[in-house]
Amino acid sequence: MLHSPITLGQSGYRPMFRAEEVNRCPGCGGNHWYVGRITAECAFCGSALPIAASGARERGLAWAA
């Protein structure tokens, strides 16, 4: 085999939106975001980042309202 399979977490830098931190846009450096359920979009340039799971959701403890 010439190439090894890509393993997530070992394939390089992956920017993510983290709700508990100050997030800078990798495209323009802005820090204002439109936050959805799955992605956050930069209010200045429109770059989208996936939202990192945290807290209860990460452990599978999210409750339906």
Side-chain angles (χ1 to χ4, degrees), residues 14-62:
R14 294 177 187 258
M16 297 189 88
F17 181 88
R18 300 183 193 287
E20 62 278 351
E21 298 178 12
V22 175
N23 294 278
R24 294 285 180 184
C25 176
C28 69
N31 63 348
H32 294 286
W33 299 88
Y34 297 119
V35 181
R37 290 186 287 169
I38 298 173
T39 62
E41 182 178 331
C42 176
F44 296 111
C45 72
S47 295
L49 296 178
I51 296 176
S54 64
R57 290 182 185 214
E58 186 175 69
R59 293 186 301 268
L61 300 174

